[in-house]
Amino acid sequence: MYKLKFVSKTKNRRKALLLLAFLASISLAAAGEQGQLANSWIRQLHAGQNGIPAQIQGVDELFSVALANNSELQSQYAEWQMRMEEVKMVVGLPDPNLSIGYFVEPVETAQGPQKTKISLAQTIPWMSKTKSAIQSKKARVDQAFDVLNDSRLKLKRDVAILWSEAAFLNEALLIQDQKIALSGDLEEILNIQYQSASISHEKLFDAQIQTLLLLDHLDGLKDRKYRLNIKLSALLEVDAPLADSVLALANLKANKPFENTQVENAHPRLKHLSDLKEETTALKHLAQAEYFPDFRIGMEYILTDKRTVSGVEVVESGRDPLVLSAGISLPIWNWKSKKAGVKASEWREKKIDALIHSQTIMLNQDYELSRSKLDEDLRKIALYKEKLIPKALEVEEVMEQAYISQSADISMLTMVRQKRLEQNLSLLEAQLSAAIQMANLTYLKGE
């Protein structure tokens, strides 16, 4: 907030107004940008549940569907809205008190008997009490939004991880099918050779065992995909596991360089503690304000009848008096209670400072661990792409020539092809691990 001191001269006042308008336009522009960033997902959350499409095109669409259907976020969104309404419940002035009194026995005065009294009173709280109460309520609004935003980021992380795992399984199943096909072809050839007594039963037996192991691995991948569909159905809050076709288009994106930074102080988990401290500070100020009195102003209107002497009304009698009053509350009792309220808030502030320090260390530790694991995965990806897989392709080409020239048998050629496919599978595993670490790092950065 900018405060400008206006001077009496018209020229200076005009300059100040122009400067104020300029600063206000900048503030509104910045607020508008932040609002546009938040409004997109808040609008989706406000719209409520959507149906599940037959096939999801990308991870962003999956996140949008999950965001609209997640009941936990819906609950936290309602909490946020409720907290905003609670701010409006704080009033600067309480409602006035209106009372009517009737004298059972009229009070005789020089003006005449008083029979009825109408009173109107207004309490005016100490200004800092209202201000502190509003600040504490606003801090609770911010805390509710921090919890909502943190859940959104966690949901975005979980969606990215599940999408990457679905992409991995889609490609891993294709590779496993190729490995099983190679092993089946080898088994058929070896069976023919065994029938002609060209090879021993042991060699055929080894090929059959290899095929069975590959089939078991394929079943394991299918079971893993079924469990993934169960996780996705829970994330999207549908009753039955999703069909395989829903995420059939999932693919692992190329890993991009990740900027190495630290956890931002604006991370929702840190922001929540910071807003909790703001609430505590406001409550401490509210407790301190209890030492100060509240003001009270009032007005009484007394209805008076005409005075009579020997049955004759006295001239100019019967005037209704109007009484104005002012007073203050005297906070002279319960000082120990007031002091305890202030001390409790001070200890709560110290507690929150310790929690902020602990949470910062924990987030930075998780960030560094994920960053280190990402570096390891990226190194493996580069190793497989640039060296191991190209070498495996070279060996496969050489072995194919050797098989054509009959200097190598089908078993050796199949083994080389299987090794190359195994390296492709290892590359996929490294890419999946890197995608998981990228999702974790994105969450830890609060993005």
Side-chain angles (χ1 to χ4, degrees):
M1 181 182 294
Y2 296 88
K3 295 182 178 179
L4 299 177
K5 182 178 181 182
F6 292 91
V7 297
S8 58
K9 295 182 180 180
T10 305
K11 186 175 181 181
N12 291 339
R13 185 183 295 113
R14 189 175 301 165
K15 289 181 178 179
L17 287 171
L18 290 173
L19 179 58
L20 181 61
F22 175 70
L23 292 174
S25 64
I26 294 176
S27 300
L28 289 173
E33 291 179 0
Q34 294 179 353
Q36 288 176 358
L37 292 175
N39 281 342
S40 58
W41 64 270
I42 290 177
R43 282 198 302 268
Q44 289 177 330
L45 199 56
H46 183 75
Q49 293 187 350
N50 289 330
I52 309 299
Q55 191 171 69
I56 295 177
Q57 303 296 319
V59 65
D60 293 334
E61 182 183 1
L62 178 59
F63 174 65
S64 296
V65 175
L67 185 68
N69 289 274
N70 190 279
S71 59
E72 181 181 357
L73 264 72
Q74 292 289 341
S75 172
Q76 292 168 355
Y77 176 75
E79 172 81 8
W80 177 45
Q81 295 293 325
M82 180 191 73
R83 293 299 182 187
M84 283 195 289
E85 293 300 325
E86 286 181 349
V87 176
K88 303 174 186 177
M89 295 169 60
V90 180
V91 293
L93 286 177
D95 291 331
N97 293 322
L98 176 66
S99 61
I100 300 177
Y102 177 75
F103 296 97
V104 178
E105 293 185 4
V107 178
E108 289 291 341
T109 66
Q111 288 293 323
Q114 296 178 346
K115 291 185 175 182
T116 308
K117 179 176 68 174
I118 302 174
S119 302
L120 181 65
Q122 174 68 61
T123 299
I124 304 175
W126 192 265
M127 288 186 297
S128 60
K129 291 183 181 180
T130 302
K131 181 180 178 182
S132 298
I134 292 175
Q135 288 176 342
S136 67
K137 293 291 186 182
K138 287 183 176 180
R140 289 186 181 182
V141 173
D142 293 337
Q143 290 173 61
F145 180 78
D146 296 333
V147 172
L148 173 63
N149 195 26
D150 186 54
S151 297
R152 175 187 70 89
L153 292 175
K154 286 179 179 177
L155 179 65
K156 186 177 181 181
R157 176 193 61 187
D158 295 343
V159 164
I161 290 174
L162 291 177
W163 176 268
S164 299
E165 189 173 355
F168 164 79
L169 290 172
N170 288 342
E171 297 189 42
L173 286 168
L174 293 176
I175 292 176
Q176 195 66 17
D177 286 337
Q178 295 178 42
K179 293 177 69 176
I180 291 172
L182 285 173
S183 184
D185 292 343
L186 174 62
E187 188 178 336
E188 290 181 6
I189 293 174
L190 292 180
N191 188 43
I192 294 173
Q193 292 178 351
Y194 174 73
Q195 296 296 331
S196 63
S198 301
I199 60 170
S200 64
H201 180 269
E202 181 181 0
K203 196 168 185 179
L204 175 61
F205 187 71
D206 289 341
Q208 291 173 339
I209 291 177
Q210 181 66 24
T211 301
L212 291 174
L213 290 174
L214 291 173
L215 287 171
D216 181 70
H217 190 199
L218 178 65
D219 290 337
L221 290 174
K222 291 180 179 178
D223 291 338
R224 184 174 170 182
K225 189 165 187 177
Y226 177 75
R227 292 192 293 270
L228 172 67
N229 290 335
I230 293 177
K231 292 178 183 178
L232 281 169
S233 64
L235 194 70
L236 301 177
E237 300 193 1
V238 295
D239 296 333
L242 293 184
D244 291 342
S245 58
V246 175
L247 296 186
L249 299 179
N251 61 337
L252 286 169
K253 295 181 180 179
N255 300 108
K256 299 179 181 179
F258 191 85
E259 183 180 356
N260 192 10
T261 58
Q262 296 296 318
V263 176
E264 299 290 340
N265 291 331
H267 190 282
R269 281 158 64 178
L270 294 176
K271 184 72 167 49
H272 178 264
L273 291 173
S274 177
D275 292 330
L276 181 59
K277 185 176 180 181
E278 285 189 14
E279 180 195 357
T280 303
T281 302
L283 291 176
K284 182 178 73 172
H285 292 161
L286 186 60
Q288 291 171 340
E290 292 297 327
Y291 287 107
F292 300 97
D294 292 334
F295 299 94
R296 183 183 179 90
I297 58 175
M299 179 180 67
E300 291 184 353
Y301 183 73
I302 302 174
L303 299 177
T304 306
D305 287 343
K306 290 283 187 176
R307 182 185 177 191
T308 61
V309 177
S310 300
V312 179
E313 293 184 353
V314 177
V315 179
E316 296 185 355
S317 66
R319 293 180 179 178
D320 299 332
L322 180 64
V323 181
L324 299 178
S325 62
I328 61 172
S329 62
L330 298 177
I332 58 177
W333 312 122
N334 303 317
W335 278 67
K336 287 185 178 180
S337 174
K338 295 178 176 63
K339 184 178 180 181
V342 175
K343 294 295 291 184
S345 296
E346 291 175 349
W347 280 113
R348 193 182 185 199
E349 284 180 328
K350 292 181 180 180
K351 172 188 173 181
I352 295 171
D353 286 335
L355 288 175
I356 291 174
H357 181 68
S358 173
Q359 190 69 249
T360 302
I361 292 176
M362 188 180 300
L363 288 171
N364 282 320
Q365 172 186 284
D366 292 343
Y367 182 91
E368 292 299 330
L369 290 174
S370 292
R371 179 69 219 192
S372 176
K373 187 66 173 66
L374 176 62
D375 291 340
E376 179 184 349
D377 293 332
L378 294 177
R379 187 175 66 251
K380 285 184 179 179
I381 291 171
L383 176 65
Y384 280 107
K385 282 186 174 181
E386 298 172 8
K387 294 182 180 180
L388 294 181
I389 292 180
K391 288 290 184 184
L393 289 172
E394 290 180 11
V395 172
E396 186 177 344
E397 290 177 0
V398 172
M399 191 58 64
E400 286 176 353
Q401 295 298 322
Y403 176 72
I404 293 173
S405 63
Q406 298 183 349
S407 58
D409 59 13
I410 188 63
S411 297
M412 297 177 64
L413 177 59
T414 302
M415 182 183 66
V416 169
R417 287 174 173 172
Q418 292 277 22
K419 190 172 182 179
R420 190 254 303 166
L421 291 174
E422 192 66 35
Q423 288 180 350
N424 286 336
L425 189 58
S426 297
L427 172 61
L428 279 178
E429 291 173 347
Q431 289 175 327
L432 171 61
S433 180
I436 292 173
Q437 301 310 319
M438 287 283 286
N440 286 330
L441 288 168
T442 301
Y443 164 73
L444 292 169
K445 287 184 68 177
E447 297 179 350

